[in-house]
Amino acid sequence: MPSSLRRALCAAPLLYGLGAAAQPAPAATGDVKFPPAVELQGVTLPLNGAGLRYKAVFKVYAAALYLERKAATPAEVAALPGPKRLAITMVREIDSAELGKLFSRGMEDNMDKAQFSKLVPGIVRMGQIFADHKRLAAGDRFTVDWLPGTGTVITVKGQAQGEPFKEPEFFNALLGIWLGAQPADWKLKDALLGKAG
């Protein structure tokens, strides 16, 4: 065998390994894997961070935040003008009406009364979206997307839920559940902002 061919054959596994290493691996959060990037409105959004939501000692869901570029603070997240996605995968079964109520309370806890009162119609509609699903089982997924020019789109189990919520404030209020001054879970907030150890 010519030495040049032998060298090429020996180098092939090394080059293949380098190529494989260049591909970002999915983020593993418990048993849930999130892709390293998603595409929204033709924009590739890299994973900003992912983590688990705990209630007492129980894992409830895994969440991932996708943004057009890295953001380490809630203010940086809010300032990004492009599309954004919060993806959630349930880790245990939960009454989805109860989840909707918890989300409403989380929004209220992170807003002043005047801001909250302006968003009440949207918050009621969001609660109804989750109530209509009765239960979310382990493995069920939903996403909350901010799409500039369209609004906030909530997708449950692969199906968009009704008309978009038009106000930009609604998406930021929803994100406040996880990134606000009184987040649902401090460790999850840090994880979504890429600060998890």
Side-chain angles (χ1 to χ4, degrees):
M1 180 186 297
S3 61
S4 60
L5 179 58
R6 193 180 305 115
R7 279 197 303 273
L9 288 172
C10 289
L14 176 63
L15 291 172
Y16 175 79
L18 288 173
Q23 300 300 317
T29 303
D31 294 331
V32 178
K33 287 190 175 145
F34 291 106
V38 296
E39 191 163 310
L40 275 183
Q41 291 187 314
V43 179
T44 299
L45 305 179
L47 179 69
N48 196 72
L52 283 165
R53 164 75 167 110
Y54 282 87
K55 183 128 182 162
V57 297
F58 301 106
K59 297 173 187 173
V60 183
Y61 55 78
L65 181 62
Y66 292 91
L67 304 168
E68 58 192 312
R69 62 178 179 271
K70 285 286 186 185
T73 67
E76 287 174 15
V77 174
L80 291 172
K84 304 168 191 177
R85 168 171 285 178
L86 183 80
I88 292 183
T89 300
M90 304 309 298
V91 176
R92 66 189 297 114
E93 185 176 295
I94 191 166
D95 180 308
S96 52
E98 184 61 28
L99 189 66
K101 286 179 193 165
L102 289 171
F103 287 171
S104 298
R105 193 174 316 137
M107 291 169 82
E108 187 173 11
D109 287 347
N110 286 283
M111 302 173 73
D112 66 40
K113 283 187 167 51
Q115 288 175 309
F116 184 77
S117 64
K118 285 182 193 168
L119 297 179
V120 163
I123 292 166
V124 169
R125 184 157 74 88
M126 179 199 65
Q128 190 59 50
I129 285 170
F130 286 100
D132 288 347
H133 284 275
K134 310 290 189 229
R135 300 197 80 70
L136 290 171
D140 283 347
R141 299 172 184 222
F142 67 91
T143 57
V144 180
D145 293 336
W146 170 249
L147 305 175
T150 300
T152 300
V153 176
I154 297 176
T155 302
V156 181
K157 302 179 197 175
Q159 296 292 318
Q161 305 295 302
E163 291 296 309
F165 298 80
K166 299 289 187 190
E167 313 88 346
E169 299 82 7
F170 186 81
F171 181 81
N172 290 330
L174 256 177
L175 270 195
I177 297 167
W178 298 277
L179 302 183
Q182 298 182 62
D185 184 314
W186 281 97
K187 285 186 178 175
L188 178 55
K189 175 180 177 174
D190 285 347
L192 293 172
L193 293 171
K195 297 177 184 172

mmCIF file of all heavy atoms in Angstrom, residues 34-57:
data_model
loop_
_atom_site.group_PDB
_atom_site.id
_atom_site.type_symbol
_atom_site.label_atom_id
_atom_site.label_comp_id
_atom_site.label_asym_id
_atom_site.label_seq_id
_atom_site.Cartn_x
_atom_site.Cartn_y
_atom_site.Cartn_z
ATOM 1 N N PHE A 34 -32.398 18.722 25.188
ATOM 2 C CA PHE A 34 -32.807 19.855 24.368
ATOM 3 C C PHE A 34 -31.788 20.037 23.252
ATOM 4 O O PHE A 34 -30.580 19.924 23.486
ATOM 5 C CB PHE A 34 -32.874 21.139 25.205
ATOM 6 C CG PHE A 34 -33.993 21.159 26.209
ATOM 7 C CD1 PHE A 34 -33.738 20.989 27.555
ATOM 8 C CD2 PHE A 34 -35.307 21.357 25.804
ATOM 9 C CE1 PHE A 34 -34.768 21.009 28.493
ATOM 10 C CE2 PHE A 34 -36.347 21.383 26.729
ATOM 11 C CZ PHE A 34 -36.069 21.208 28.078
ATOM 12 N N PRO A 35 -32.245 20.355 22.021
ATOM 13 C CA PRO A 35 -31.286 20.573 20.935
ATOM 14 C C PRO A 35 -30.401 21.786 21.215
ATOM 15 O O PRO A 35 -30.811 22.698 21.937
ATOM 16 C CB PRO A 35 -32.172 20.788 19.707
ATOM 17 C CG PRO A 35 -33.500 21.185 20.242
ATOM 18 C CD PRO A 35 -33.635 20.548 21.590
ATOM 19 N N PRO A 36 -29.181 21.803 20.644
ATOM 20 C CA PRO A 36 -28.272 22.930 20.890
ATOM 21 C C PRO A 36 -28.747 24.233 20.255
ATOM 22 O O PRO A 36 -28.282 25.305 20.610
ATOM 23 C CB PRO A 36 -26.941 22.475 20.283
ATOM 24 C CG PRO A 36 -27.305 21.384 19.326
ATOM 25 C CD PRO A 36 -28.560 20.745 19.827
ATOM 26 N N ALA A 37 -29.691 24.146 19.307
ATOM 27 C CA ALA A 37 -30.241 25.350 18.666
ATOM 28 C C ALA A 37 -31.592 24.997 18.057
ATOM 29 O O ALA A 37 -31.875 23.830 17.781
ATOM 30 C CB ALA A 37 -29.297 25.868 17.581
ATOM 31 N N VAL A 38 -32.439 26.018 17.881
ATOM 32 C CA VAL A 38 -33.716 25.857 17.175
ATOM 33 C C VAL A 38 -33.810 26.984 16.151
ATOM 34 O O VAL A 38 -33.080 27.975 16.241
ATOM 35 C CB VAL A 38 -34.934 25.906 18.135
ATOM 36 C CG1 VAL A 38 -34.912 24.761 19.119
ATOM 37 C CG2 VAL A 38 -35.020 27.248 18.866
ATOM 38 N N GLU A 39 -34.710 26.824 15.189
ATOM 39 C CA GLU A 39 -34.907 27.877 14.189
ATOM 40 C C GLU A 39 -36.319 28.443 14.323
ATOM 41 O O GLU A 39 -37.291 27.701 14.372
ATOM 42 C CB GLU A 39 -34.690 27.326 12.782
ATOM 43 C CG GLU A 39 -34.627 28.435 11.752
ATOM 44 C CD GLU A 39 -34.003 27.998 10.427
ATOM 45 O OE1 GLU A 39 -32.913 27.393 10.447
ATOM 46 O OE2 GLU A 39 -34.636 28.265 9.401
ATOM 47 N N LEU A 40 -36.394 29.773 14.405
ATOM 48 C CA LEU A 40 -37.678 30.479 14.472
ATOM 49 C C LEU A 40 -37.620 31.647 13.500
ATOM 50 O O LEU A 40 -36.653 32.422 13.533
ATOM 51 C CB LEU A 40 -37.920 31.031 15.883
ATOM 52 C CG LEU A 40 -38.536 30.134 16.936
ATOM 53 C CD1 LEU A 40 -38.733 30.936 18.223
ATOM 54 C CD2 LEU A 40 -39.843 29.537 16.503
ATOM 55 N N GLN A 41 -38.624 31.784 12.666
ATOM 56 C CA GLN A 41 -38.702 32.879 11.694
ATOM 57 C C GLN A 41 -37.420 32.988 10.866
ATOM 58 O O GLN A 41 -36.950 34.082 10.562
ATOM 59 C CB GLN A 41 -38.978 34.215 12.398
ATOM 60 C CG GLN A 41 -40.363 34.319 13.000
ATOM 61 C CD GLN A 41 -40.665 35.705 13.547
ATOM 62 O OE1 GLN A 41 -39.850 36.294 14.249
ATOM 63 N NE2 GLN A 41 -41.842 36.229 13.243
ATOM 64 N N GLY A 42 -36.834 31.847 10.544
ATOM 65 C CA GLY A 42 -35.624 31.844 9.734
ATOM 66 C C GLY A 42 -34.359 32.229 10.489
ATOM 67 O O GLY A 42 -33.300 32.390 9.891
ATOM 68 N N VAL A 43 -34.448 32.388 11.809
ATOM 69 C CA VAL A 43 -33.289 32.760 12.635
ATOM 70 C C VAL A 43 -32.893 31.563 13.480
ATOM 71 O O VAL A 43 -33.743 30.933 14.112
ATOM 72 C CB VAL A 43 -33.632 33.958 13.560
ATOM 73 C CG1 VAL A 43 -32.441 34.332 14.424
ATOM 74 C CG2 VAL A 43 -34.105 35.148 12.740
ATOM 75 N N THR A 44 -31.599 31.235 13.490
ATOM 76 C CA THR A 44 -31.100 30.158 14.344
ATOM 77 C C THR A 44 -30.868 30.713 15.741
ATOM 78 O O THR A 44 -30.129 31.689 15.914
ATOM 79 C CB THR A 44 -29.792 29.576 13.780
ATOM 80 O OG1 THR A 44 -30.064 29.038 12.485
ATOM 81 C CG2 THR A 44 -29.260 28.463 14.672
ATOM 82 N N LEU A 45 -31.518 30.100 16.718
ATOM 83 C CA LEU A 45 -31.405 30.547 18.106
ATOM 84 C C LEU A 45 -30.624 29.508 18.902
ATOM 85 O O LEU A 45 -31.111 28.393 19.116
ATOM 86 C CB LEU A 45 -32.793 30.708 18.734
ATOM 87 C CG LEU A 45 -33.794 31.609 18.018
ATOM 88 C CD1 LEU A 45 -35.110 31.627 18.779
ATOM 89 C CD2 LEU A 45 -33.243 33.025 17.861
ATOM 90 N N PRO A 46 -29.396 29.831 19.335
ATOM 91 C CA PRO A 46 -28.655 28.887 20.170
ATOM 92 C C PRO A 46 -29.270 28.787 21.563
ATOM 93 O O PRO A 46 -29.941 29.710 22.031
ATOM 94 C CB PRO A 46 -27.245 29.472 20.242
ATOM 95 C CG PRO A 46 -27.273 30.777 19.540
ATOM 96 C CD PRO A 46 -28.658 31.049 19.043
ATOM 97 N N LEU A 47 -29.015 27.663 22.203
ATOM 98 C CA LEU A 47 -29.469 27.442 23.573
ATOM 99 C C LEU A 47 -28.740 28.397 24.502
ATOM 100 O O LEU A 47 -27.510 28.442 24.514
ATOM 101 C CB LEU A 47 -29.185 25.986 23.968
ATOM 102 C CG LEU A 47 -29.580 25.570 25.377
ATOM 103 C CD1 LEU A 47 -31.093 25.529 25.525
ATOM 104 C CD2 LEU A 47 -28.984 24.210 25.704
ATOM 105 N N ASN A 48 -29.498 29.180 25.276
ATOM 106 C CA ASN A 48 -28.897 30.097 26.246
ATOM 107 C C ASN A 48 -28.613 29.376 27.554
ATOM 108 O O ASN A 48 -27.609 29.609 28.210
ATOM 109 C CB ASN A 48 -29.830 31.287 26.493
ATOM 110 C CG ASN A 48 -29.115 32.436 27.170
ATOM 111 O OD1 ASN A 48 -28.306 33.119 26.563
ATOM 112 N ND2 ASN A 48 -29.401 32.662 28.441
ATOM 113 N N GLY A 49 -29.532 28.484 27.941
ATOM 114 C CA GLY A 49 -29.378 27.720 29.175
ATOM 115 C C GLY A 49 -30.568 26.813 29.377
ATOM 116 O O GLY A 49 -31.627 27.016 28.784
ATOM 117 N N ALA A 50 -30.387 25.787 30.216
ATOM 118 C CA ALA A 50 -31.462 24.819 30.484
ATOM 119 C C ALA A 50 -31.304 24.299 31.908
ATOM 120 O O ALA A 50 -30.188 24.226 32.439
ATOM 121 C CB ALA A 50 -31.417 23.661 29.487
ATOM 122 N N GLY A 51 -32.433 23.937 32.514
ATOM 123 C CA GLY A 51 -32.383 23.409 33.873
ATOM 124 C C GLY A 51 -33.686 22.750 34.257
ATOM 125 O O GLY A 51 -34.620 22.658 33.458
ATOM 126 N N LEU A 52 -33.734 22.295 35.498
ATOM 127 C CA LEU A 52 -34.908 21.587 36.027
ATOM 128 C C LEU A 52 -35.651 22.452 37.021
ATOM 129 O O LEU A 52 -35.038 23.175 37.812
ATOM 130 C CB LEU A 52 -34.477 20.295 36.727
ATOM 131 C CG LEU A 52 -34.102 19.125 35.821
ATOM 132 C CD1 LEU A 52 -33.364 18.056 36.626
ATOM 133 C CD2 LEU A 52 -35.345 18.521 35.175
ATOM 134 N N ARG A 53 -36.979 22.354 36.986
ATOM 135 C CA ARG A 53 -37.833 23.005 37.989
ATOM 136 C C ARG A 53 -38.167 21.965 39.043
ATOM 137 O O ARG A 53 -38.678 20.883 38.727
ATOM 138 C CB ARG A 53 -39.115 23.516 37.322
ATOM 139 C CG ARG A 53 -40.249 23.855 38.296
ATOM 140 C CD ARG A 53 -39.985 25.159 39.035
ATOM 141 N NE ARG A 53 -41.174 25.632 39.707
ATOM 142 C CZ ARG A 53 -41.344 25.647 41.041
ATOM 143 N NH1 ARG A 53 -40.394 25.177 41.839
ATOM 144 N NH2 ARG A 53 -42.449 26.137 41.561
ATOM 145 N N TYR A 54 -37.827 22.273 40.288
ATOM 146 C CA TYR A 54 -38.138 21.388 41.409
ATOM 147 C C TYR A 54 -39.269 21.984 42.226
ATOM 148 O O TYR A 54 -39.363 23.206 42.385
ATOM 149 C CB TYR A 54 -36.922 21.231 42.325
ATOM 150 C CG TYR A 54 -35.871 20.287 41.805
ATOM 151 C CD1 TYR A 54 -34.874 20.740 40.944
ATOM 152 C CD2 TYR A 54 -35.858 18.951 42.177
ATOM 153 C CE1 TYR A 54 -33.897 19.878 40.463
ATOM 154 C CE2 TYR A 54 -34.884 18.083 41.705
ATOM 155 C CZ TYR A 54 -33.908 18.552 40.854
ATOM 156 O OH TYR A 54 -32.948 17.698 40.373
ATOM 157 N N LYS A 55 -40.116 21.133 42.743
ATOM 158 C CA LYS A 55 -41.101 21.544 43.757
ATOM 159 C C LYS A 55 -40.820 20.632 44.942
ATOM 160 O O LYS A 55 -40.966 19.413 44.831
ATOM 161 C CB LYS A 55 -42.513 21.362 43.227
ATOM 162 C CG LYS A 55 -43.543 21.843 44.201
ATOM 163 C CD LYS A 55 -44.506 22.810 43.534
ATOM 164 C CE LYS A 55 -45.487 23.287 44.582
ATOM 165 N NZ LYS A 55 -46.168 24.467 44.236
ATOM 166 N N ALA A 56 -40.386 21.190 46.057
ATOM 167 C CA ALA A 56 -39.846 20.415 47.174
ATOM 168 C C ALA A 56 -38.680 19.590 46.620
ATOM 169 O O ALA A 56 -37.757 20.146 46.047
ATOM 170 C CB ALA A 56 -40.927 19.569 47.833
ATOM 171 N N VAL A 57 -38.748 18.256 46.736
ATOM 172 C CA VAL A 57 -37.643 17.431 46.222
ATOM 173 C C VAL A 57 -37.974 16.820 44.865
ATOM 174 O O VAL A 57 -37.181 16.080 44.300
ATOM 175 C CB VAL A 57 -37.271 16.306 47.216
ATOM 176 C CG1 VAL A 57 -36.770 16.891 48.523
ATOM 177 C CG2 VAL A 57 -38.459 15.384 47.466
#
